Amino acid sequence: MRSSLRAVTAGLAALAVLTLAGCGGDATGGSGGDGDKVDVVASFYPLQFIAEQVGGDAVNVTTLTAPGVEPHDLELTPKQVGTITEAKLVLFEKGLQPAVDEAVEQNAKDAGFDVAPAAKLEATGAHFEDHDHEEEGGAGGPAAVLPGSAGNEDVDPHFWLDPVRYAGVVQAVTDKLVEVDGAHADGYKERAKKLLGEVTKLDGEFKSGLATCKLKTFVTSHEAFAYLAKRYGLQMVGIAGFTPDAEPTPQRIKEVQDIVRAEQVTTIFYEELVSPKVAESIARDLKVKTAVLSPIEGLSDANSEQTYLTLMRENLQELRKANSCA
């Protein structure tokens, strides 16, 4: 009798463990099905925001890049690889995070959705300088990357800093969610329409807000803002290349200093997730200001309550201030 009772008790305990294991997951680990919700993995914050806004209560969203972690440096834990393997949909940008690319290739080929084609990525450097700004709705005017920039012919991954490109990815993710989970198609489409309206409004604010700037050049820690510069007729100078924690050469620092003097730049921008030492050093030498311009690659403890939309609007105000925009 006692052995039977122990067997029943053990069985109930095991069932409880299994039940708890299936209820939710942390921000960088397991997903975990919640009823009939779709498990979606987003590789970093801009895709997480889209998945949450469009998915609403029909999805469980897990992000692989925790707050405070620089997305370029992401290394996956075994638990995160397991989350990718079990997900119904994995949103990622091929080429941005090699560890995610590899995990999707090996464990989630059918579930993986690369947003890069929808973002219409381009190369920086000479390609941008020769490109017709009106071709994709850009504002025209100056080149996005100032000659002498650290840019090269690598493809620029930072599509989300151009609201128009970001809108294209919103639509692509919506279409994919409808394909994966047709039962909730109407909800996905309705929420996507609302988000696209917000992003379109954001584009209008940037167009009007940066239309009358006295200065056209801005200097940033790394080359994350070329698409934004191209869209709104500005010139970006990146101290480092695409990887924010790369050390610029002494020659590159001198080039930046020369550009700051020649273009009468007032502000050296740095970002939240990497050390500001180089930017502060250049600003100190040239007696100009420093300020944060967020690449919105991920959130930090300092801005954990912010969203893509609020951070973009803060960026707009910082650019207007630095470039004397009426």
Side-chain angles (χ1 to χ4, degrees):
M1 180 69 178
R2 287 181 179 177
S3 61
S4 297
L5 182 58
R6 282 197 297 269
V8 171
T9 303
L12 290 172
L15 179 59
V17 170
L18 288 173
T19 302
L20 288 171
C23 294
D26 61 48
T28 57
S31 52
D34 182 6
D36 61 350
K37 291 188 178 184
V38 175
D39 285 339
V40 177
V41 171
S43 65
F44 68 121
Y45 176 70
L47 298 181
Q48 174 193 348
F49 183 73
I50 295 175
E52 290 174 342
Q53 295 300 305
V54 176
D57 58 5
V59 300
N60 289 315
V61 180
T62 301
T63 182
L64 298 175
T65 306
V69 175
E70 217 297 316
H72 297 268
D73 301 330
L74 179 67
E75 295 294 336
L76 298 177
T77 66
K79 185 178 182 182
Q80 289 176 311
V81 174
T83 302
I84 290 172
T85 303
E86 296 169 4
K88 188 74 171 179
L89 179 62
V90 181
L91 303 175
F92 72 110
E93 181 184 358
K94 191 172 184 180
L96 178 66
Q97 298 169 293
V100 178
D101 295 351
E102 182 179 356
V104 170
E105 176 67 22
Q106 294 181 357
N107 302 284
K109 275 189 175 181
D110 292 338
F113 183 65
D114 175 18
V115 303
K120 299 182 180 178
L121 302 181
E122 299 182 42
T124 59
H127 178 84
F128 260 21
E129 291 158 21
D130 295 337
H131 195 280
D132 180 1
H133 291 270
E134 296 298 331
E135 182 175 323
E136 295 196 26
V145 183
L146 195 68
S149 172
N152 52 41
E153 288 304 309
D154 291 335
V155 172
D156 184 351
H158 303 93
F159 68 87
W160 57 93
L161 294 168
D162 173 357
V164 177
R165 292 176 194 269
Y166 194 64
V169 173
V170 171
Q171 187 60 61
V173 170
T174 302
D175 293 344
K176 190 63 179 179
L177 281 168
V178 169
E179 176 188 324
V180 168
D181 181 29
H184 296 101
D186 290 344
Y188 294 140
K189 291 176 182 178
E190 182 179 346
R191 287 186 290 270
K193 183 178 180 181
K194 180 179 178 181
L195 178 57
L196 287 168
E198 290 288 339
V199 175
T200 299
K201 180 181 177 183
L202 182 69
D203 174 48
E205 291 173 13
F206 268 83
K207 281 179 180 175
S208 60
L210 299 176
T212 57
C213 301
K214 292 181 180 178
L215 305 177
K216 294 295 184 181
T217 300
F218 64 99
V219 176
T220 64
S221 295
H222 87 290
E223 292 186 342
F225 297 88
Y227 291 136
L228 184 153
K230 175 186 176 183
R231 180 69 60 189
Y232 304 111
L234 299 178
Q235 296 172 319
M236 178 196 70
V237 176
I239 298 171
F242 289 145
T243 305
D245 56 358
E247 286 291 333
T249 64
Q251 178 184 356
R252 179 60 194 156
I253 291 175
K254 183 181 183 305
E255 289 173 352
V256 171
Q257 290 174 331
D258 290 343
I259 292 170
V260 170
R261 293 188 186 99
E263 301 295 325
Q264 299 182 324
V265 171
T266 68
T267 306
I268 308 295
F269 288 112
Y270 64 95
E271 56 199 70
E272 310 98 327
L273 298 181
V274 295
S275 171
K277 288 182 179 179
V278 175
E280 289 174 342
S281 176
I282 293 174
R284 187 166 52 248
D285 291 344
L286 298 176
K287 295 181 172 56
V288 298
K289 300 174 183 177
T290 59
V292 172
L293 195 67
S294 177
I296 319 181
E297 294 177 341
L299 299 180
S300 65
D301 291 340
N303 64 11
S304 60
E305 300 301 315
Q306 299 267 37
T307 70
Y308 167 79
L309 296 170
T310 61
L311 288 169
M312 282 292 285
R313 290 189 168 100
E314 286 190 0
N315 282 346
L316 173 58
Q317 294 309 312
E318 291 298 336
L319 285 169
R320 283 177 52 79
K321 190 187 308 179
N323 287 48
S324 301
C325 307

